[in-house]
Amino acid sequence: MTIDYDAYEIVVGLEVHAQLLTQTKLFCGIAPAWGEPNTHVKPRHLGHPGSLPKLNRKAIEFRY
């Protein structure tokens, strides 16, 4: 059995974690407390279809 490598496409994804110098998270108004994973979230920020995050204005101001 031979493998037809031309039939496949390589897709590479990256997941980046960064700690911001803001009082809240990048896409919600919750404080970025460290501790138990997935406890500092709101239902709106879980990425459900139709939900839109609210961007942290201070993080954008830090960019400039």
Side-chain angles (χ1 to χ4, degrees), residues 2-10:
T2 61
I3 299 174
D4 181 15
Y5 291 104
D6 293 327
Y8 294 93
E9 176 186 3
I10 295 175

Side-chain angles (χ1 to χ4, degrees), residues 37-50:
N38 302 322
T39 56
H40 298 277
V41 296
K42 291 184 178 180
R44 187 179 76 176
H45 306 122
L46 294 176
H48 295 297

Side-chain angles (χ1 to χ4, degrees), residues 5-52:
Y5 291 104
D6 293 327
Y8 294 93
E9 176 186 3
I10 295 175
V11 177
V12 178
L14 298 175
E15 181 176 336
V16 178
H17 296 261
Q19 186 172 352
L20 303 175
L21 297 174
T22 59
Q23 298 297 316
T24 60
K25 295 181 180 182
L26 182 59
F27 289 110
C28 69
I30 299 174
W34 297 100
E36 189 66 30
N38 302 322
T39 56
H40 298 277
V41 296
K42 291 184 178 180
R44 187 179 76 176
H45 306 122
L46 294 176
H48 295 297
S51 64
L52 297 174

